[in-house]
Amino acid sequence: MDDLENKVAVITGAASGIGRGMAEAFVDAGMRVVLSDVEEAVLHSTTAELRDGGADVHAVLADVSKAEDVASLAESTLSTYGAVHVLCNNAGVFAGTKPSWKSTLDDWAWVLGVNLMGVVHGIHAFLPVMIEQDEEAHIVNTASVAGLMTGGSLYGASKSALVTLSETIHLELVGGGFKPRISVLCPGLVDTNILDCRRNRPARFADAGPWPEGWSMDAARRAFALGLAPRAVGDAVLQAMREERFYILTHPEFTEHLTHRTTQIVNGDNPTLLPMPGA
């Protein structure tokens, strides 16, 4: 997908972090962007800042874990712009419970509801429209390098499922001769506020499991603050769409870890972990 001028993009989790980085990159490429987020105040402030810079953007408040919210997002997009050419299923949350069996059922419902079912809802609401348009189009699903590695617990499970779902949709689109294409974004540490995502945790999922013993939230925040800039991730996504490249890997320092896991699988070895980069 090379001609992006005036094309319409929809981004969930767009008010901050990677979502905002994508929005900035898309706006600079001449696209019209629908910004969606569950955090109303930040959504409106981000929208206003982009408009002040001359961007053609539209804001829609939505909780992607609710199918009806994503259906309304699609309706608002089409009523505003008449088409959709890019969908970035980017909204994601993190619950740091460890070990896995101490995660509550509310933890599972919240994380899977946003990280996996939020993408399913996006695919269900938007992909048939993109196919029916019979134009170039692209979907980007934000997973994580955790979805390609061992040891991610609840978060990693949601992202692993997302990688598999994206791979399957790619094969279905290509095999069916449909024009839309799809990518899966698997970043490492990015300078976002995902560690503070509990501020948006719904009251219906109030029963939260414990954070890992000895885990320092301050140290984790410092590590994320040293991560890749969200705009750099947005630029990488833009380039991958132009190249119709499926896997978007933003952190080459994890290549050894991916090779390690693949080798273990092929050899039938039991899982082991390598030290994290920079540890």
Side-chain angles (χ1 to χ4, degrees):
M1 186 173 183
D2 195 46
D3 182 14
L4 299 174
E5 187 72 28
N6 288 321
K7 293 296 191 297
V8 178
V10 177
I11 306 171
T12 66
S16 60
I18 291 174
R20 175 159 182 166
M22 290 179 184
E24 292 173 354
F26 292 175
V27 163
D28 286 349
M31 301 182 74
R32 296 172 288 173
V33 180
V34 178
L35 307 166
S36 180
D37 207 284
V38 73
E39 194 168 11
E40 186 170 13
V42 183
L43 174 63
H44 290 314
S45 64
T46 296
T47 302
E49 289 171 15
L50 291 172
R51 280 181 181 153
D52 288 345
D56 186 349
V57 294
H58 174 61
V60 179
L61 187 70
D63 176 350
V64 297
S65 71
K66 298 179 178 179
E68 61 271 24
D69 278 23
V70 181
S72 295
L73 171 60
E75 292 171 6
S76 183
T77 298
L78 295 174
S79 65
T80 302
Y81 291 121
V84 56
H85 305 97
V86 172
L87 169 65
C88 295
N89 290 308
N90 172 73
V93 295
F94 173 79
T97 306
K98 195 173 182 178
S100 304
W101 55 87
K102 290 190 177 180
S103 295
T104 66
L105 292 181
D106 278 2
D107 288 336
W108 282 100
W110 181 46
V111 173
L112 291 179
V114 175
N115 293 3
L116 180 57
M117 290 309 299
V119 176
V120 171
H121 295 153
I123 296 297
H124 186 264
F126 285 94
L127 184 51
V129 175
M130 299 166 97
I131 291 172
E132 182 67 24
Q133 287 173 170
D134 198 31
E135 299 178 60
E136 283 191 334
H138 206 105
I139 294 171
V140 179
N141 291 333
T142 299
S144 166
V145 72
L148 302 172
M149 296 169 53
T150 303
S153 191
L154 198 168
Y155 181 80
S158 71
K159 296 302 187 179
S160 295
L162 184 50
V163 170
T164 300
L165 173 63
S166 302
E167 289 170 337
T168 301
I169 293 172
H170 166 78
L171 294 172
E172 291 169 339
L173 290 172
V174 173
F178 302 111
K179 289 186 178 179
R181 290 294 176 261
I182 189 168
S183 297
V184 62
L185 171 62
C186 297
L189 287 183
V190 180
D191 184 12
T192 73
N193 58 1
I194 191 170
L195 290 177
D196 297 309
C197 63
R198 287 179 295 176
R199 69 192 185 281
N200 294 319
R201 183 165 176 152
R204 67 185 186 276
F205 300 133
D207 183 20
W211 290 94
E213 277 187 42
W215 202 59
S216 169
M217 182 66 82
D218 288 339
R221 286 196 183 99
R222 288 194 295 271
F224 272 85
L226 295 173
L228 194 63
R231 175 56 192 266
V233 179
D235 290 336
V237 167
L238 194 67
Q239 186 62 29
M241 290 196 311
R242 293 186 188 279
E243 297 172 0
E244 291 189 359
R245 177 160 36 88
F246 178 79
Y247 297 105
I248 309 175
L249 304 175
T250 61
H251 289 68
E253 59 266 33
F254 283 97
T255 300
E256 181 184 7
H257 294 71
L258 305 187
T259 302
H260 175 72
R261 184 190 185 205
T262 302
T263 301
Q264 288 184 313
I265 293 171
V266 172
N267 290 344
D269 297 333
N270 292 342
T272 60
L273 293 177
L274 295 178
M276 295 297 285

